[in-house]
DNA sequence: ACCTGAACACCGTTCAAGT
DNA sequence: ACCTGAACACCGTTCAAGT
């Protein structure tokens, strides 16, 4: 004999904004941002499309919202460590987060309504630089440059037509389509670098990051 | 009395791939990539939507095609000038081109079929570095870093919610919505830097670019 | 060879109606 | 307060048919 269960464990949770946004992110992660439609989102939430409009004004607000959630995933180091360690950890974390959500980087461009988490992130990073002794001028330089580098790298990484395992196959396939003798330098770089064992495009990130941090360390010293 | 004109000057040109792509770019420039639909493109070409499919397989091919056209607009300096001048000119030109086509940068991510112009561009840039004395290793570092910076900067610039004239209005409006006391560092940076006369976000580009070029010049010297 | 009309399976969103 | 059915004006694309 079964007991009557007034509230079964599988009972549908009431819809709310947080669940809406995290489900939207899950869809984009799994199937790309193109697969995120009001209809697909509603179905994943076990609800009709029109119900979504009770929690967000429109799809734009969903896109603004998920970008703000993604920003919240980036580690903000404690305020009491030195600026270089803090900037390094934030940059590495940002790259990891953007690699986890490859649809997010290009979306940054069109989003012009930064959410509270995004603004808080920017504020904290600027604060770390200022406390580290950066002038306002130098803070602007450093922040602009670091973010350009991080987003640009993430954009390139998201656009790579291969992951680390399929490098040889994809590279060989692409080069097979080259007209004979065309792109000699590209071919050289592929053969003698990209196709060598142990190659990992991701390793490039640390090189450029440290180069930037070195430069600002030198500038900071000569600044005061 | 009017003469009979068998071929009026306004006669519709026959559709071809080049005209299709350049019209597509004109639409995206004028109204954003979202306004570029098979139907809007057909209308601009004075043709029915289905006619487009005689010149391209689908919309993906149009997107691949216009990205390749945009790449072709980037200046490739002559092979006989020194690497630093060449890299500088290419970077400045790339930024100008991407600023002219703000929809293009985020599109780079999803395009995985580089066209012949794009491949030729990459090949030429790598060639300039190699001839400048860069090892394969250092070439990979430099190219990855320069492109990450260029694309990242273009992405940020495209996402700015203001152009140079409207900076004060937009910044003031945004800050007016901040809860009191929130984002103190962001506010400081805005008040004492962004809102100062003569501020131009674009100026940041040269600073970071020269910093990168300086670093590689030093690395190149110690490398040989 | 090049173009097209009609149709299909999708979109985001509005509106009026249900509980 | 929260959800929904039906409808509207859009998408990209296929197919069969026109010149």
């Amino acid at each position: 004999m079964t007991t009557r269960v007034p509230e079964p464990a599988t009972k549908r949770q009431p819809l709310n904004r947080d669940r809406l946004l995290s489900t939207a992110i899950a869809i984009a992660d799994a199937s790309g941002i193109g697969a995120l439609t009001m209809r697909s989102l509603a179905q994943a939430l076990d609800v009709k499309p029109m119900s979504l409009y009770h929690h967000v004004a429109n799809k734009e607000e969903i896109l603004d919202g998920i970008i703000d959630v993604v920003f919240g995933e980036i580690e903000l180091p404690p305020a009491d460590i030195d600026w270089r360690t803090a900037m390094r950890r934030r940059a590495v974390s940002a790259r990891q987060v953007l690699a986890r959500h490859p649809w997010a980087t290009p979306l940054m461009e069109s989003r012009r309504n930064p959410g509270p988490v995004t603004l808080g992130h920017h504020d904290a990073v600027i604060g770390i630089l200022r406390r580290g002794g950066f002038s306002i001028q130098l803070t602007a330089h450093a922040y602009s440059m670091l973010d350009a580098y991080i987003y640009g790298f993430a954009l390139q990484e998201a656009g790579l037509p291969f992951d680390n395992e399929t490098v040889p196959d994809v590279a060989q396939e692409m080069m097979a389509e080259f007209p004979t003798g065309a792109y000699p330098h590209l071919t050289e770089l592929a053969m003698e670098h990209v196709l060598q064992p142990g190659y990992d495009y991701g390793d490039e990130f640390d090189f450029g990051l440290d180069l930037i941090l070195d430069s600002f360390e030198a500038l900071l010293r000569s600044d005061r």
Side-chain angles (χ1 to χ4, degrees), chain A residues 29-135:
Chain A
D29 286 349
S31 317
I33 195 74
L36 175 61
T37 68
M38 299 304 268
R39 286 163 155 93
S40 70
L41 178 56
Q43 195 171 23
L45 288 162
D46 197 15
V47 116
K48 301 291 165 190
M50 304 78 211
S51 304
L52 302 174
Y53 289 90
H54 275 270
H55 300 90
V56 290
N58 49 36
K59 192 176 178 182
E60 289 290 286
E61 195 180 313
I62 295 179
L63 295 178
D64 285 338
I66 60 179
I67 287 295
D68 210 44
V69 171
V70 167
F71 253 100
E73 293 180 14
I74 302 173
E75 181 195 353
L76 265 185
D80 57 356
I81 59 175
D82 70 290
W83 71 266
R84 180 164 179 151
T85 307
M87 284 301 96
R88 199 169 203 301
R89 275 171 58 178
R90 183 201 68 119
V92 168
S93 171
R95 184 198 151 211
Q96 281 169 351
V97 168
L98 294 175
R100 203 157 58 218
H101 308 297
W103 46 268
T105 311
L107 220 58
M108 306 270 177
E109 179 257 357
S110 43
R111 303 295 95 202
R112 280 150 187 233
N113 291 308
V117 176
T118 304
L119 290 169
H121 177 94
H122 290 321
D123 193 71
V125 171
I126 294 168
I128 290 169
L129 291 172
R130 294 289 284 136
R131 270 191 301 275
F134 282 65
S135 67

Side-chain angles (χ1 to χ4, degrees), chain A residues 168-186:
Chain A
D169 295 347
V170 178
Q172 232 108 37
E173 197 182 310
M174 276 188 67
M175 293 197 320
E177 283 176 28
F178 288 0
T180 322
Y183 319 127
H185 302 106
L186 214 49

Side-chain angles (χ1 to χ4, degrees), chain A residues 138 215-224:
Chain A
L138 199 59
S215 299
F216 278 102
E217 199 161 287
L219 283 170
L220 187 61
R221 246 192 298 270
S222 69
D223 209 37
R224 51 180 172 193

